[in-house]
């Protein structure tokens, strides 16, 4: 009875941190199982797909202006066109997959799977990151191989494991004869259906997908009751003992309340020991010597070279198995976690960092070390992460928090108390290659 009562007490205290329900808020069921050779079903749009208003508490107006290219289309016509394209399966090779397949608005623009599944049921190598707040990313994708949202929009359309069109021209040809598209392109850009404007429209829509107005934003704005005591303690831990701020802030000495990322790349010890990384790096350096973008994009999604991360882009040994620091907003509803979707709960994520996992990885980031966090501190840190949930995802976050919390009481595969409270071992030197 005591254990059950504790679960109920913490869950109820979590509910106190959430904002009032918003129209169109959604719960999230597990993604459907798929028949072999079948792509995931196209998601519907619904209220979560609508462009977001900048009138959200916590919306960083100055930052948003700074990261929005001057030439980017901001008209309602361009945004409406981009939203239609985002959900149109005709841009894929066989009409079954759209951008929204991996970026479902009901799942905070993720897909709920460990790794993405595309055309013909082909399974990729990486977890689908959220598109929410992607406009603030300095680079796109886990390895930063795209620098703009327009580039990001283009690559999945022709990737053989994602949308599978033979070319952008092939995708455009599927919609060029559609009278509605002809009218929308003309209204938005003053000309007919074409590749460049297709990508510009998708990016214009994605730039509207900002997500703030969380309980944490209300707390930062001065409402001391917006989050509970657990989340407040978690915010302090985030910036001190837990060392999260070393990657999830713009600088280690100034607290970040906007995007929770340094926009850098780090090797955090995930998955590297399952692969022969040195030989893979040599192979990649040879095969990608010409820096051909389609080859890079294909390698990142379809092959074992995916584990090399940022190295595929830079060819720098220091970037082996380094991946981009993700934004943490709505993190409760964007799992599974990490670039390979290998962690199922936020407690697993914190346990991974708490024990300083990956210390036999010669390319491990220097900031990874045992943290000696206690169980109550881990619960507090997760409560803070839960407070970053925006209002449209309140119901989903409440349900997911309850599920993850229940799992964390009985199943903690990443937990290693002795190692978490031990000294940092000597890290091996990287082998030559």
């Amino acid at each position: 009875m005591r254990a059950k009562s504790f679960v109920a007490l913490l869950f109820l205290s979590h509910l106190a941190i959430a904002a009032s329900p918003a129209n169109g808020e959604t719960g999230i069921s597990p993604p459907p199982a798929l028949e072999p050779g079948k792509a995931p079903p196209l998601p519907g749009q619904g209220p979560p797909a609508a462009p977001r208003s900048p009138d959200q508490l916590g919306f960083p107006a100055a930052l948003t202006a700074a990261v929005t290219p001057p030439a980017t289309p901001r008209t309602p016509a361009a945004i409406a066109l981009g939203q239609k394209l985002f959900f149109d399966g005709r841009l894929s090779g066989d009409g079954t997959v759209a951008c929204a397949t991996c970026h479902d608005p009901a799942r905070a623009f993720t897909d709920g799977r460990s790794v993405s599944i595309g055309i013909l049921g082909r399974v990729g190598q990486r977890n689908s990151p959220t598109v929410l707040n992607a406009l603030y990313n300095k680079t796109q994708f886990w390895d930063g191989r795209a620098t703009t949202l327009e580039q990001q929009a283009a690559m999945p359309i022709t990737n053989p494991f994602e949308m599978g069109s033979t070319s952008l021209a092939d995708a455009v040809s599927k919609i060029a004869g559609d009278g509605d598209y002809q009218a929308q392109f003309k209204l938005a850009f003053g000309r007919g259906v074409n590749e460049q404007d297709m990508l510009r429209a998708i990016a214009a829509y994605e730039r509207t997908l900002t997500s703030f107005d969380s309980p944490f934003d209300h707390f930062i704005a001065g409402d001391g009751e917006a989050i509970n005591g657990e989340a407040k303690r978690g915010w302090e831990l985030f910036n001190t003992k837990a060392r999260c701020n070393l990657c999830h802030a713009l600088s280690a000495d100034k607290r970040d309340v906007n995007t929770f990322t340094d926009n850098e790349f780090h090797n955090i010890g995930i998955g590297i020991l399952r692969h022969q990384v040195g030989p893979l790096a040599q192979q990649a350096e040879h095969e990608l010597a010409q820096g051909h973008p389609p080859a890079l994009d294909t390698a990142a999604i379809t092959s074992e070279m995916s584990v090399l991360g940022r190295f595929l882009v830079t060819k720098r040994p220091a970037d082996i198995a380094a991946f981009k620091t993700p934004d943490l907003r709505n993190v409760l509803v964007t799992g599974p976690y990490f670039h390979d979707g290998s962690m199922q709960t936020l407690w697993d994520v914190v346990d991974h960092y708490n024990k300083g996992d990956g210390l036999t990885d010669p390319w491990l980031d220097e900031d990874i070390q045992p943290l000696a966090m206690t169980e109550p501190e881990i619960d507090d840190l997760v409560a803070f992460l839960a407070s970053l949930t925006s209002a449209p995802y309140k119901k989903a976050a409440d349900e997911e928090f309850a599920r993850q919390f229940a799992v964390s009481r009985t199943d903690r595969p990443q937990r290693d108390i002795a190692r978490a409270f031990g000294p940092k071992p000597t890290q091996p030197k990287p082998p030559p290659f």
Side-chain angles (χ1 to χ4, degrees):
M1 285 297 295
R2 288 186 63 190
K4 291 182 179 179
S5 297
F6 178 66
V7 172
L9 178 62
L10 188 57
F11 177 52
L12 288 172
S13 70
H14 164 67
L15 294 181
I17 72 175
S20 299
N23 291 334
E25 72 172 5
T26 179
I28 300 181
S29 59
L34 302 176
E35 297 179 28
K38 296 291 186 180
L42 285 171
Q45 297 195 36
R52 309 298 172 87
S53 168
D55 296 328
Q56 303 173 60
L57 189 66
F59 179 81
L63 175 61
T64 304
V67 300
T68 302
T72 192
R74 306 182 194 184
T75 64
I79 293 166
L81 173 59
Q83 182 173 352
K84 182 176 180 178
L85 290 163
F86 193 88
F87 289 88
D88 198 333
R90 287 179 290 177
L91 301 187
S92 67
D94 65 357
T96 63
V97 178
C99 304
T101 300
C102 293
H103 302 289
D104 183 349
R107 300 178 186 277
F109 288 85
T110 62
D111 63 8
R113 303 180 187 277
S114 293
V115 292
S116 59
I117 299 176
I119 190 171
L120 303 176
R122 292 170 179 165
V123 180
Q125 296 283 323
R126 292 184 184 167
N127 179 263
S128 292
T130 181
V131 180
L132 292 174
N133 293 345
L135 75 161
Y136 303 113
N137 296 338
K138 288 185 177 179
T139 58
Q140 306 297 331
F141 299 116
W142 281 105
D143 54 21
R145 63 185 181 276
T147 57
T148 68
L149 285 173
E150 287 80 3
Q151 293 172 355
Q152 181 275 327
M155 291 183 183
I157 293 174
T158 58
N159 189 291
F161 271 49
E162 295 182 295
M163 295 173 68
S165 283
T166 56
S167 65
L168 290 177
D170 175 46
V172 167
S173 71
K174 307 283 184 60
I175 62 172
D178 185 308
D180 287 340
Y181 269 126
Q182 291 171 359
Q184 285 190 271
F185 271 81
K186 186 71 173 178
L187 180 62
F189 297 105
R191 52 192 174 223
V193 181
N194 66 89
E195 297 174 24
Q196 179 186 9
D197 290 337
M198 176 181 71
L199 301 179
R200 293 175 69 203
I202 294 172
Y205 169 60
E206 291 181 336
R207 288 190 177 95
T208 72
L209 300 177
T210 56
S211 188
F212 298 92
D213 198 29
S214 69
F216 175 77
D217 292 309
H218 285 260
F219 170 69
I220 291 299
D223 182 357
E225 302 302 316
I227 63 176
N228 59 23
E230 291 93 334
K232 292 175 185 177
R233 293 193 296 271
W235 173 231
E236 293 304 313
L237 287 163
F238 183 91
N239 292 287
T240 54
K241 183 176 181 179
R243 297 167 62 88
C244 309
N245 63 313
L246 298 184
C247 295
H248 291 284
L250 292 175
S251 68
D253 57 358
K254 184 177 181 181
R255 297 192 178 194
D256 183 6
V257 298
N258 291 322
T259 60
F260 297 98
T261 175
D262 60 0
N263 278 300
E264 298 294 341
F265 301 84
H266 303 274
N267 179 327
I268 60 171
I270 293 292
I272 193 169
L273 299 182
R274 299 196 303 267
H275 303 267
Q276 296 296 320
V277 173
L280 276 176
Q282 289 180 319
Q283 180 184 350
E285 195 170 37
H286 173 73
E287 293 186 6
L288 302 174
Q290 302 304 314
H292 187 46
L296 168 60
D297 188 59
T298 300
I301 299 298
T302 68
S303 77
E304 191 182 18
M305 288 184 190
S306 177
V307 73
L308 296 173
R310 183 66 171 164
F311 175 82
L312 287 173
V313 179
T314 67
K315 315 301 186 296
R316 295 176 61 247
D319 287 329
I320 287 178
F323 292 86
K324 187 174 67 177
T325 305
D327 182 357
L328 296 177
R329 287 183 176 273
N330 301 301
V331 69
L332 255 182
V333 290
T334 59
Y337 305 108
F338 295 142
H339 68 272
D340 61 353
S342 58
M343 301 293 173
Q344 298 302 307
T345 73
L346 289 175
W347 277 268
D348 291 339
V349 170
V350 178
D351 282 342
H352 168 83
Y353 288 115
N354 197 33
K355 66 185 178 183
D357 205 6
L359 293 173
T360 57
D361 169 1
W363 295 281
L364 188 70
D365 192 274
E366 62 182 4
D367 289 325
I368 301 294
Q369 65 180 49
L371 300 175
M373 292 180 64
T374 65
E375 286 301 303
E377 288 174 330
I378 292 173
D379 288 342
D380 288 346
L381 184 57
V382 174
F384 160 67
L385 295 173
S387 78
L388 297 175
T389 305
S390 298
Y393 299 104
K394 175 191 179 299
K395 179 181 178 182
D398 288 346
E399 294 173 357
E400 182 62 8
F401 183 91
R403 184 194 73 81
Q404 290 194 21
F405 182 82
V407 169
S408 76
R409 301 306 101 172
T410 60
D411 186 11
R412 296 281 286 278
Q414 302 300 320
R415 185 179 183 185
D416 189 334
I417 296 175
R419 184 166 162 181
F421 284 82
K424 180 176 181 178
T426 302
Q427 185 175 335
K429 294 182 178 180
F433 72 92

